[in-house]
């Protein structure tokens, strides 16, 4: 492989304009495809086959008017309760919203609240009338009873006096007829009262069902309106979202402030923000410090941008044909920038050192591609394997996310191996500053500098960080493991969910909407649960209504349910829709339990009411996604680790090194989880990382972090350990090879890690809240993995093991193909034979 890449590097160097032209053509083609075929991004994380999706599909078929997405808009009065003018302004805005093509209907909070209050008042009045009616019937009933008693007594007296029955009937018949007529009137009145009582009981049940649900706050200062769309919320175009916000904002003229919920305000049309640009700027600064010139520093950045343009552009081009979440291009962007800079940097840094040592530029580029490029190739393969394996859990949105990111990383690898040599050919000697050239020339002109270089290299390897670690390997090992173990402790309380408005920045409209809604109506109003019931066939309207209320009563009996309201009934009276309001927000642990309890009570509700229920809606869907992702973690981790172990076995031809690499990754992963829980779930350093409302961790963060961090951790393992293996294969003792190999790789690996951490950290303050914890987790994970695991624990263990670190059974050595990651075949064939010991020369040139 090293020889093949050597030839590829030479070809790219000699045919630089052909290679550059081909990449320009690819960029233009991908850009045109992205512009022509891109679709609307969404945050639709539904999983086909789950109850949530099945019920949603059924609802769309049987009750289309209730199947579209809905979102809330909170209106807050400026000073005191709403005035009539303010109420009119809100109603007018909602009426205007209904004229939008994408809006199905709106719910006017003031009209609906008035209806609820009128219903309560009418119920109270009806109960008073019923009580008065019963009182009115009490006297006639008493008179009838007295009359009946008198007639009965008279009849007994006449019979005792010996009067014949006919005479008795003739004398009392008229009075009996009058009593019968009175009884008939009394029965009719009682029947009417009973019918009225039944209606009152039904009205009372309806009122009970709506208890806990308010659309206007009790103090009259806030109102929440519902907007029902014809399509799902995730399918709304950015311009439609903006239209809704603009129309709602017109109420400001009446002294009212409108806050649209997160579902409406979420802007997923932009990838870059200020913080992301700042992260790239820090990476550029590191490159300038390391490489010495703007041209040299700009080269890795340019390569990363080309890779991102092609990879992310291709992702956008497919978004019109594939349902794609907004985080897919964001993940591809993060990884494309980070690995694109790093992979190019490894080749450029190797070439720079070799040229300063006096190597011919063409030979240097070819050799750098064959050696460092070989490490880049296998490091990239581990990242690609880890990301592509995201298809294994069977979650469509996750598969698209993983494949798009894997494709972008693959492009970054190809760019590093082809375009970087071509651009290096164009740049030529401008890669290195005149000062560095002068120092290198002076150094190379000194007689006997080779031995001085070797001595300097020896001193550097024994006195730097690698020397310190290998002088105290047991202390370094225990300290590193203890540090990561302590940081990992919070990971045991990891709780997963999808973010709600409470996790948005405090100055955002979405957060203010969440905060006002939670304060005025309860947190549960921000995330209602939709329950769909299948009613028996052949029910009358009254029977169907009674069934709805029976189900609502059963739903309301579940712990932590504030309200359960029937909201829709199909025309055939077979499908009913209920809105269940939990006590707390959609991402809270209690709401997750409510979803579980509702599903657990299905059989009980069906037995009691004859109605089978199913759950759907955003809140239930989020719970399903989190549960599915949690279940997918163990097999995913096993498959990714297993495949990568095989790849590392090929690269290092050792049993111990792959196992050590994997064990170190597990430590880094646990520490990253612990830090995420501490910051985003517990709120530690919340002011620093802009976490105003700590809550559950993003549900698909763990599985993405496993894939990404494992790939990147193996990157650094390849670069660090390949340097050690290269020294070992060239005749050094195993322990000495640890020091010298570490010394040669440490500077570039440290710079690469700082660059990657900077790029990821730029996303910690992204305008997309969903991306923030992911950026933090990857930045922190790379930080501890590079500096604690790869640059401390790994060299300590390798030094302690000595020769045993490179042990491989003979039978396995015979059957494993030799991928030659250290480039030994290049020396055997004579290619790059003058490349020995270039690191000291580069150090002298600085």
């Amino acid at each position: 492989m090293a020889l093949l890449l050597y030839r590829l590097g030479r070809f790219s160097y000699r045919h630089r304009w052909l290679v550059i032209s081909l990449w320009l053509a690819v960029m233009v083609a991908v850009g045109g495809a992205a512009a022509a075929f891109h679709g609307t991004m969404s945050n639709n994380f539904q999983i086909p086959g789950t109850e949530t999706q099945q019920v949603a599909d059924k609802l769309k078929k049987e009750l289309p008017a209730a199947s579209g997405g809905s979102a809330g808009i909170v209106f807050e009065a400026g000073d005191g309760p709403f005035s009539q003018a303010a109420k009119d302004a809100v109603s007018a805005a909602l009426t205007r919203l209904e004229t939008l093509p994408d809006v199905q209907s709106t719910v006017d909070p003031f009209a609906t609240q008035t209806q609820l209050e009128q219903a309560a008042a009418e119920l109270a009045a009806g109960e008073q009338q019923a009580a008065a009616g019963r009182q009115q019937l009490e006297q006639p009933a008493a008179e009838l009873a007295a009359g009946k008693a008198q007639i009965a007594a008279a009849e007994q007296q006449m019979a005792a006096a010996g009067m014949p029955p006919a005479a008795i009937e003739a004398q009392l018949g008229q009075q009996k007829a009058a009593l019968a007529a009175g009884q008939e009137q009394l029965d009719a009145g009682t029947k009417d009262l009973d019918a009225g009582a039944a209606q009152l009981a039904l009205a009372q049940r309806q009122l009970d069902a709506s208890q806990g649900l308010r659309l206007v706050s009790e103090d009259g200062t806030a109102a929440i309106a519902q907007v029902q769309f014809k399509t799902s919320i995730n399918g709304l175009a950015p311009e439609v979202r903006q239209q809704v916000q603009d129309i709602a904002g017109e109420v400001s003229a009446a002294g009212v402030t409108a806050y649209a919920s997160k579902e409406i305000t979420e802007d997923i049309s932009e990838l870059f923000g200020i913080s992301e640009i700042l992260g790239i700027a820090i990476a550029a600064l590191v490159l300038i410090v390391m490489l010495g010139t703007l041209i040299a520093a700009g080269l890795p950045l340019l390569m990363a941008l080309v890779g991102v343009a092609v990879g992310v552009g291709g992702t956008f081009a497919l978004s019109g044909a594939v349902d794609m979440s907004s985080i897919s291009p964001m993940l591809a962007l993060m990884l494309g920038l980070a690995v694109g800079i790093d992979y190019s940097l490894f080749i450029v840094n190797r070439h720079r050192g070799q040229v300063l040592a006096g190597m011919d530029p063409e030979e240097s580029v070819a050799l750098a591609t064959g050696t460092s490029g070989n490490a880049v190739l296998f490091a990239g393969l581990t990242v690609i394997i880890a990301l592509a394996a995201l298809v294994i859990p069977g979650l469509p949105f996750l598969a698209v996310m993983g494949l798009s990111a894997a494709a972008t990383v693959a492009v970054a690898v190809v760019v590093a191996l082809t375009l970087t040599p071509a651009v290096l050919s164009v740049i030529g000697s401008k890669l290195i500053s005149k000062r560095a050239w002068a120092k290198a020339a002076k150094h190379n002109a000194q007689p006997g500098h080779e031995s001085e270089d070797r001595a300097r290299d020896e001193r550097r390897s024994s006195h730097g960080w690698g020397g310190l670690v290998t002088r105290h390997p047991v202390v370094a090992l225990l300290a590193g493991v203890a540090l990561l173990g302590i940081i990992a402790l919070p990971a045991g309380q990891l709780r997963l969910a999808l973010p709600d408005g409470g996790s948005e920045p405090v100055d955002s409209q979405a957060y203010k909407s969440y905060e006002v809604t939670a304060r005025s109506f309860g947190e549960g109003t921000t995330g209602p649960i939709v329950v769909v019931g299948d009613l028996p066939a052949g029910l009358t309207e009254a029977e169907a209504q009674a069934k709805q209320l029976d189900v609502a009563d059963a739903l309301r009996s579940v712990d932590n349910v504030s309200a359960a309201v029937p909201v829709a009934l199909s025309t055939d009276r077979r499908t009913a829709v209920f809105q269940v309001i939990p006590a707390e927000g959609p991402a809270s642990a209690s709401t997750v339990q409510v979803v579980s309890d509702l599903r657990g009570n299905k059989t009980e509700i069906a037995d009691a009411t004859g109605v089978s229920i199913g759950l759907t809606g955003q809140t239930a869907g989020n719970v399903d996604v989190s549960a599915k992702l949690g279940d997918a973690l163990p097999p995913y981790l096993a498959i990714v680790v297993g495949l990568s172990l095989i790849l590392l076995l090929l690269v290092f031809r050792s049993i111990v090194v792959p196992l050590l690499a994997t064990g170190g990754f597990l430590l880094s992963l646990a520490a990253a989880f612990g830090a995420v829980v501490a910051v985003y779930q517990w709120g530690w350093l919340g002011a620093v990382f802009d976490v105003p409302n700590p809550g559950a961790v993003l549900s698909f963060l763990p599985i993405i972090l496993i894939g990404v961090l494992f790939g990147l951790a193996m990157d650094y393992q390849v670069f660090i350990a390949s340097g050690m293996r290269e020294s070992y294969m060239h005749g050094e003792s195993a322990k000495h090879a640890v020091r010298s190999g570490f010394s040669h790789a440490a500077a570039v690996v440290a710079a690469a890690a700082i660059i990657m951490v900077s790029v990821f950290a730029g996303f910690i303050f992204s305008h997309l809240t969903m991306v923030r914890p992911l950026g933090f987790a990857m930045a922190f994970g790379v930080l501890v993995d590079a500096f604690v695991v790869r640059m401390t624990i790994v060299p300590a263990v390798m030094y302690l093991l000595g020769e045993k670190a490179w042990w491989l059974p003979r039978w396995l050595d015979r059957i494993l193909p030799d991928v030659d990651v250290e480039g030994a075949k290049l020396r055997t064939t004579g290619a790059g034979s003058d490349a020995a010991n270039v690191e000291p020369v580069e150090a002298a040139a600085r």
Side-chain angles (χ1 to χ4, degrees), residues 385-469:
I385 287 172
L387 291 170
L390 288 173
V391 304
I392 293 169
L395 312 180
F397 73 88
L398 194 63
V400 172
M401 200 181 301
L403 290 175
S404 62
T408 303
V409 172
V411 171
V413 171
V414 177
V415 167
L417 296 177
T418 58
L419 187 58
T420 299
V423 176
L424 284 172
S425 175
V426 173
I427 292 174
S429 62
K430 295 179 182 178
L431 181 73
I432 303 170
S433 67
K434 293 180 180 180
R435 178 171 170 269
W437 276 122
K439 283 190 174 184
K442 182 179 178 180
H443 176 80
N444 293 335
Q446 294 176 354
H449 68 86
E450 293 86 355
S451 59
E452 182 183 340
D453 290 343
R454 285 191 291 272
R456 184 185 296 110
D457 189 27
E458 182 67 25
R459 287 195 303 271
R460 188 175 63 172
S461 65
S462 61
H463 288 85
W465 178 253
L468 178 64
V469 168

Side-chain angles (χ1 to χ4, degrees), residues 741-766:
F742 181 90
S743 177
H744 291 161
V748 68
V749 168
I754 293 171
I755 289 169
M756 194 166 287
V757 169
S758 300
V759 172
F760 288 152
F763 291 85
I764 294 175
F765 301 97
S766 171

Side-chain angles (χ1 to χ4, degrees), residues 38-268:
H38 76 278
T40 301
M41 294 285 157
S42 73
N43 277 333
N44 181 13
F45 301 114
Q46 295 294 338
I47 306 173
T50 61
E51 176 188 307
T52 301
Q53 191 60 47
Q54 291 172 347
V55 175
D57 294 340
K58 169 183 170 61
L59 191 60
K60 184 175 182 179
K61 178 182 178 182
E62 299 182 3
L63 200 56
S67 64
S70 65
I73 301 177
V74 181
F75 298 94
E76 191 173 30
D79 185 15
F82 284 93
S83 64
Q84 188 57 48
K87 294 179 180 180
D88 293 341
V90 171
S91 299
L94 295 175
T95 302
R96 279 204 60 196
L97 283 176
E98 290 184 344
T99 64
L100 295 180
D102 293 273
V103 174
Q104 178 80 29
S105 62
T106 62
V107 176
D108 188 321
F110 301 107
T112 306
Q113 190 66 45
T114 299
Q115 291 174 357
L116 290 173
E117 292 171 356
Q118 286 178 347
E122 290 173 358
L123 178 62
E127 289 176 343
Q128 290 178 353
Q129 290 177 355
R134 291 201 179 275
Q135 288 178 353
Q136 290 176 356
L137 288 178
E138 287 177 359
Q139 184 177 355
E143 293 175 351
L144 278 173
K148 289 180 179 179
Q150 290 175 358
I151 291 176
E155 195 169 16
Q156 288 179 354
Q157 290 176 357
M158 290 178 181
M163 291 183 65
I168 294 173
E169 187 63 30
Q171 189 170 349
L172 299 178
Q174 188 174 2
Q175 294 177 5
K176 285 183 178 181
L179 285 175
Q183 183 64 54
E184 188 175 344
Q185 291 177 353
L186 182 63
D187 291 342
T190 302
K191 184 178 180 180
D192 291 341
L193 279 176
D194 290 341
Q199 291 178 347
L200 287 174
L202 183 62
Q204 183 63 58
R205 293 186 67 190
Q206 291 173 333
L207 189 63
D208 291 340
S210 64
Q211 289 299 316
L213 177 66
R214 290 191 64 88
L215 299 181
V216 179
S217 62
E218 292 183 358
D219 60 5
T221 60
I224 183 169
Q226 288 292 325
V227 182
Q228 183 84 21
F229 295 95
K230 294 180 180 178
T231 61
S232 69
I233 289 290
N234 298 314
L236 290 179
E239 54 270 20
V240 176
R241 298 173 185 270
Q242 192 58 52
Q243 275 184 305
V244 172
Q245 295 175 61
D246 291 342
I247 292 174
E250 293 174 359
V251 299
S252 60
V256 178
T257 305
Y259 300 120
S261 64
K262 176 178 180 287
E263 292 79 9
I264 296 174
T265 61
E266 192 168 43
D267 181 11
I268 55 180

